[in-house]
Amino acid sequence: MPEHTGETRNEQLTRNVGELLQELRVAQAGVQILFGFLLSVVFTDRFHDASGFEKSLHLSAVALAVAATALLTAPAAWHRLLFRTGSRERILTVGNRLVLVGLVCLALAITSTVALIAKVVYGWIAMVVMAALCLLIFGILWFVMPIRMHPANGDQPTGPPK
């Protein structure tokens, strides 16, 4: 269902790019905080005593945070590099896909980090439980609920309450 805002196509694209970039600011803050934490862990005495599994889990969390950073900052870089080239629609189309993949990487990086902390502090069972809870929370809040709220599903009213 197309949006009817009374805007020209160019105005709509400009607004949509602005909204995308604003949304990315929120996600990027989370990635930056997580990435800083993950980097600092390596320089602690306790990390050097970690098992091979724990070090591998940490490295996978770092790799996922790097991927999330790259994916979530790409649309902003593209916007800057392609400014005034008439590429807004392409930036939005591809950028939206990158952001969704970036959010998955961010959710997995956070889940891996929480799992690592649970493993080190409480053991294997806590690690599995916390990882499952994290995946469930992210899955429901970031993906299941928005899909269920989509007007095409017919489950939700499309307008404001009367």
Side-chain angles (χ1 to χ4, degrees), residues 80-152:
R80 196 50 25 219
L81 291 168
L82 300 171
F83 189 66
R84 295 189 179 151
T85 63
S87 303
R88 284 188 185 116
E89 190 159 5
R90 189 76 178 135
I91 291 170
L92 282 168
T93 301
V94 178
N96 183 62
R97 291 182 191 131
L98 292 179
V99 169
L100 291 174
V101 175
L103 289 173
V104 169
C105 288
L106 176 58
L108 292 174
I110 292 170
T111 299
S112 298
T113 304
V114 170
L116 175 62
I117 292 167
K119 164 69 173 68
V120 169
V121 176
Y122 294 108
W124 286 94
I125 294 172
M127 178 191 80
V128 171
V129 169
M130 292 305 296
L133 284 173
C134 284
L135 289 174
L136 187 66
I137 289 168
F138 282 117
I140 289 171
L141 291 176
W142 284 10
F143 300 102
V144 173
M145 287 180 72
I147 289 168
R148 296 242 8 246
M149 292 171 61
H150 195 280

Side-chain angles (χ1 to χ4, degrees), residues 20-32 72 103 106:
L20 175 66
L21 296 175
Q22 183 62 30
E23 291 164 3
L24 289 174
R25 286 184 185 98
V26 174
Q28 287 170 356
V31 172
Q32 290 168 344
L72 294 172
L103 289 173
L106 176 58

